[in-house]
Structures are given as structure tokens and as C-alpha cells.
Amino acid sequence: MLPMIYGLIAGVLWGFNPVVIKKYGEGLDTVTVNGVRAFYAFLLTLIITFTIFPTYQADFTGLLIIFLSAFSGPFLGDIFYVKAIRGIGGGNAITIGYMYVFVAEFISILILGETPDYHILIGTLLAVFGVSLIYRGYGSVSSRREYLSAFLTAVFWGFSTIFSRLATLHGDPFLLTVVRNLYVFTLASSIKGSRVVKESFSRKGFILGFLAGGLSFGLGMALFIKALSIGGVQVSALPTLIAPVVGRVFSIIVNGEKPDSKGIVGTFVTVLGLSIGFLKTTF
């Protein structure tokens, strides 16, 4: 039960990201946006780890694997995620991005030895159909390019999930999350220099960093990695499917997005497909 609770909380926190990023990340390049998020995530997880969880450890292998998780997920994956949010809207970006659950599932079958299930096939077909409905709502070449960014987000997030799961075999989940955020901040700063720190202390940077970084990269990801450590990929990923629903609703309310009927139906079918794909985690 705990992995599902942790995953559900993480999913809700992740669901707010498209709204926050689109509203407070305007004018910032994608690398800087994720650097600011990582800065606040690092600070928050550092405080949590050293005050609430006094015992912590991680070996060299764990630190290496969590770097791969950081590079593929919150660095590369979220760079494409921000591009997708700006190009096709938060609701569509998060819906497609959360196909990462299937990427993670199929990789887990190959690497972690998990058994394939017919729920996965049915769910995948439904999710792909749902995404195709959303896609038909946009016709411009630029929008189509951003759909590719959303798909790449799903791929990189999927690999990141697997790396995070493997890393938990070599270290404490919360300490690994601290290091993961430090890696992302360091990578972003090495590219953008002092701009990441400068933007972190601006008003918009603080709101962006705390909400879409501290609570998302930080607390949300720490809980998700903890769930992975005790429940595995499938059980942990299932409850995060609440994120596309949260993202779609708040993108409409806050950002004024106006999805057409195909977009709404596509979102529903995609989430339904993802849910069916993970029924075996609860039955």
C-alpha cells in the first residue's frame, strides 16, 4: 500500500508542473528552467534527508546509476518536456509524456525480469489511439515538432525510472534524490553559468523553483524513488497516472487552454489505456 500512496502523492505534485512551468518559465530557456527547479529541489531534499532521515548511505555504483537517472530524466527528458509544454500546451504534453509508464514497463521486462501481461498490450493500444486523437487537433509543422519532444520526454523518463529503480539497490532513496538533484543543477550550471543561480533568486524563479522544483523534482521524486525501492516499477508507476488528469484540468483552469473534443476524448482514452495496462499491479 505504501508504494501506491507515495506514487499517488508524487503524481499529484507532478501534475501541477505544466501549469507552473508555462506560467512562470516564460522568457527562460529550457536548460535554465530545469536548473532553477533542480536548485530548489536540491535544497529541499537536502534538508529533509539530514533532518528527518539521519541514517543514509549510497555506494559508488548507486551514485553512478543515479547520475544516469538524472541525465536521462530531469535533464534531457525535462528539457524536451518544457519544449512540448510551450509548443502544444501543458495538458497535451503531460498526457503524451506519461506514456513513459509503458517505456519503463517494457524495459523492466527486459532488464528486471518482470513478466509481460496482456493488460500491457491492450493498454498500449488504447494509449496510442488516445494520443493519435490529441495529435489530430493540431496541424502546424511547429506543433508536430513539439509532439516529437513530448514522445522523447516519455522515452527518457522511462529510462530514468529504470535507472532510479536500479540505483535503489545501492543506496538510500532520499540520499539518492539529493545527489540526483545536485547532478541536474551542476549540468545546467555548466551550460548556462551563473544565470541559473541568478534566476533562482528572482521572484518568478522562486515560484517556479519551489513549486515545480522543490515539490516536484524534490519531494515528489523522493517519494517516487522510495516507492520504487519497496514496490518495484509497476506498482509505483500506476498511481502517478493521476498526473495527466491533474495537468489537463489545471491547464484549462489556470492557463486558459481550450482543447477540442478530440483532445478531451484523447486524454481520457490515453489515461484509460495507461490504467488498464497496470491493472495487474492491483489484481
Side-chain angles (χ1 to χ4, degrees):
M1 181 61 70
L2 277 178
M4 299 199 65
I5 293 175
Y6 291 154
L8 181 64
I9 296 173
V12 171
L13 293 175
W14 296 346
F16 291 103
N17 284 345
V19 174
V20 176
I21 291 172
K22 188 165 186 177
K23 186 174 182 65
Y24 295 101
E26 289 295 327
L28 299 178
D29 60 89
T30 56
V31 175
T32 300
V33 168
N34 288 327
V36 171
R37 295 172 65 197
F39 176 75
Y40 283 94
F42 170 70
L43 292 180
L44 182 60
T45 52
L46 185 67
I47 293 172
I48 292 174
T49 300
F50 284 88
T51 57
I52 301 178
F53 303 98
T55 57
Y56 48 86
Q57 61 179 0
D59 59 28
F60 176 77
T61 301
L63 296 177
L64 176 61
I65 297 175
I66 205 65
F67 171 78
L68 296 176
S69 173
F71 185 73
S72 59
F75 188 70
L76 287 180
D78 277 59
I79 284 177
F80 285 113
Y81 188 38
V82 173
K83 285 175 61 64
I85 290 172
R86 291 173 174 173
I88 60 177
N92 290 330
I94 196 171
T95 301
I96 298 173
Y98 268 73
M99 291 185 71
Y100 90 89
V101 293
F102 287 110
V103 177
E105 176 65 26
F106 287 126
I107 297 175
S108 71
I109 292 172
L110 297 176
I111 296 179
L112 304 181
E114 297 187 8
T115 304
D117 186 271
Y118 73 89
H119 293 101
I120 300 298
L121 176 60
I122 296 175
T124 301
L125 293 175
L126 277 174
V128 170
F129 175 66
V131 170
S132 69
L133 289 179
I134 300 173
Y135 179 84
R136 292 171 188 170
Y138 292 82
S140 69
V141 175
S142 61
S143 291
R144 291 173 183 174
R145 290 172 180 169
E146 300 315 327
Y147 272 96
L148 175 60
S149 294
F151 280 111
L152 289 175
T153 297
V155 171
F156 285 118
W157 280 359
F159 276 99
S160 181
T161 298
I162 298 299
F163 287 135
S164 293
R165 167 58 178 156
L166 292 173
T168 62
L169 302 176
H170 301 274
D172 175 78
F174 279 86
L175 178 59
L176 291 172
T177 306
V178 173
V179 176
R180 188 176 189 263
N181 293 323
L182 180 59
Y183 283 150
V184 177
F185 173 71
T186 302
L187 286 169
S189 297
S190 66
I191 296 174
K192 292 299 177 178
S194 60
R195 186 181 183 189
V196 174
V197 176
K198 179 181 177 182
E199 295 295 343
S200 296
F201 288 99
S202 67
R203 177 181 175 276
K204 289 178 60 176
F206 172 76
I207 297 174
L208 170 69
F210 181 75
L211 295 179
L215 296 182
S216 173
F217 270 179
L219 181 58
M221 184 53 65
L223 291 173
F224 183 59
I225 294 179
K226 180 67 175 178
L228 288 172
S229 71
I230 59 180
V233 174
Q234 296 178 65
V235 174
S236 303
L238 170 64
T240 67
L241 297 176
I242 192 66
V245 179
V246 174
R248 172 64 76 181
V249 171
F250 277 87
S251 291
I252 294 173
I253 296 174
V254 178
N255 289 336
E257 294 184 9
K258 297 180 179 180
D260 59 14
S261 58
K262 290 181 180 178
I264 296 174
V265 174
T267 297
F268 173 77
V269 173
T270 300
V271 174
L272 176 62
L274 293 173
S275 300
I276 290 176
F278 284 89
L279 277 177
K280 69 174 183 177
T281 63
T282 54
F283 293 98

